[in-house]
């Protein structure tokens, strides 16, 4: 039987980005801030574990199903943004640049990690596209081999439908110094250059 | 009223070493591992917050007061190791090199941060030393200006008592490449050189 401190340290050390040392530092801080941080954190974990559900329409996480985005009357229902996971969905929401609906795949195709189209929510995406009402599908997948393979596969599956398929622009990121950018990004930025 | 996810993210982002981005990553992983990690973590936080107490003798954190170290019949009660905080105490325990008892100061003297002797557990250290039975006090404080100032101050306060006062050796750390060590450490290692 391990002590409460050890047990807590081991659980914390399993979180992404944390190891045994950082877990111990966190435990010591938490024990100094029991009322202000430790007990509220315990309650917040339990509450979120019980209340957060996955949206059956877009795959987003939230308190309701359908989620607040899918249920919102102000979102543009003719544009669908396809993302790899909820992290990508949240990142796009933070940008406030997209006002349509989402579709979360739950990953990307990967021969290496053995993820085939059946493992991703691609069939339900095609079904949503066929249901009508959608004018544009934005494939907002990462600029990685897996992301681009997945985007190609989806574009093929959606071919023939009266829907515009688009993807995110590739180029120099905001604040990016050319000196620090890789050649692939610079090539893409040059190829897709725009007149001023 | 913020959502359970936002509330949890904000609490996690207050932990040392975490920021908004790593907190979001942790929330997403936790929501995927609700039964195996999220709820056990909530329970472990609550249990530790309720059960862990500070040892009134040495300042260590544990389930009992006095702590398991102070209560142990196998520890050497004639040697006292003075440490800055519980983190340092745990680090020494992990080394398994010390078999005596501890005294946690609760910090180091610091003019900059306004910590005077009255803010540290120095009076209780002197009282423990005067009570008798202690043959050696090891000042295991950091090799920083504050640590060494605190060690000097304590050594002065303990002067005159029939107790050996010692401090940790300074030198080349295990696995340390000379090339990467600062001059202060190399000077200390040379000055305290030992015959083979």
């Amino acid at each position: 039987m391990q002590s409460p401190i050890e047990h807590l340290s081991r659980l914390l050390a399993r979180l992404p980005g944390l190891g045994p040392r950082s877990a111990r530092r966190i435990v010591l801080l938490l024990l100094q801030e029991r009322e202000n941080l430790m007990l509220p954190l315990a309650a917040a974990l339990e509450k979120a574990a019980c209340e957060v559900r996955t949206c059956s329409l877009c795959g987003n996480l939230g308190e309701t199903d359908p989620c607040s985005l899918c249920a919102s009357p102000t979102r543009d229902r003719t544009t669908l943004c396809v993302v790899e996971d909820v992290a990508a969905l949240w990142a796009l929401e933070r940008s406030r640049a997209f006002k349509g609906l989402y579709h979360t795949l739950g990953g990307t195709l990967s021969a290496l990690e053995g993820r085939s189209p059946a493992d991703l929510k691609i069939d339900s995406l095609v079904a949503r596209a066929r249901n009508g009402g959608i004018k544009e599908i934005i494939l907002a997948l990462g600029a990685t081999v897996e992301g681009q393979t997945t985007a190609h596969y989806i574009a093929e599956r959606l071919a023939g439908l009266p829907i515009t398929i688009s993807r995110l622009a590739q180029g120099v990121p905001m604040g990016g110094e050319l000196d620090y950018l890789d050649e692939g990004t610079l090539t893409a930025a040059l190829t897709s250059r725009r007149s001023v």
Side-chain angles (χ1 to χ4, degrees), chain A:
Chain A
M1 184 59 194
Q2 54 190 349
S3 79
I5 292 177
E6 277 170 40
H7 181 57
L8 178 58
S9 299
R10 273 170 210 208
L11 288 173
L12 285 170
R14 284 171 56 191
L15 299 179
L18 297 185
R21 183 178 296 266
S22 43
R24 279 195 301 269
R25 270 182 68 206
I26 288 175
V27 169
L28 285 171
L29 178 110
L30 285 170
L31 286 168
Q32 279 167 21
E33 301 270 354
R34 295 187 204 201
E35 297 300 323
N36 294 327
L37 188 51
M38 195 171 191
L39 290 172
L41 181 58
L45 283 164
E46 206 179 319
K47 188 175 159 72
C50 296
E51 294 185 4
V52 172
R53 52 202 70 192
T54 302
C55 176
S56 54
L57 296 176
C58 75
N60 187 17
L61 290 165
E63 287 148 276
T64 53
D65 178 21
C67 73
S68 57
L69 299 177
C70 286
S72 164
T74 62
R75 305 285 299 204
D76 169 16
R77 288 170 185 278
T78 65
T79 318
L80 206 58
C81 184
V82 175
V83 288
E84 180 183 335
D85 51 24
V86 177
L89 192 161
W90 289 357
L92 282 165
E93 275 303 289
R94 284 197 299 280
S95 78
R96 292 165 196 257
F98 179 68
K99 294 296 175 200
L101 299 183
Y102 289 95
H103 189 91
T104 308
L105 293 176
T108 48
L109 295 178
S110 166
L112 232 86
E113 295 178 35
R115 274 194 307 275
S116 69
D119 297 318
L120 306 181
K121 297 230 165 56
I122 293 181
D123 286 342
S124 59
L125 171 63
V126 176
R128 280 181 92 174
R130 284 211 176 114
N131 265 351
I134 293 170
K135 291 182 186 159
E136 180 176 0
I137 292 183
I138 305 169
L139 301 175
L141 298 166
T144 59
V145 174
E146 285 88 359
Q148 295 310 300
T149 308
T150 312
H152 271 112
Y153 177 83
I154 292 175
E156 272 179 27
R157 287 284 301 270
L158 295 172
L161 290 170
I163 293 174
T164 308
I165 312 290
S166 57
R167 63 172 179 81
L168 295 183
Q170 292 185 341
V172 181
M174 285 292 164
E177 297 263 26
L178 293 201
D179 200 15
Y180 290 93
L181 283 177
D182 62 294
E183 290 142 36
T185 303
L186 283 176
T187 306
L190 263 175
T191 311
S192 312
R193 67 189 179 277
R194 294 168 54 173
S195 62
V196 192

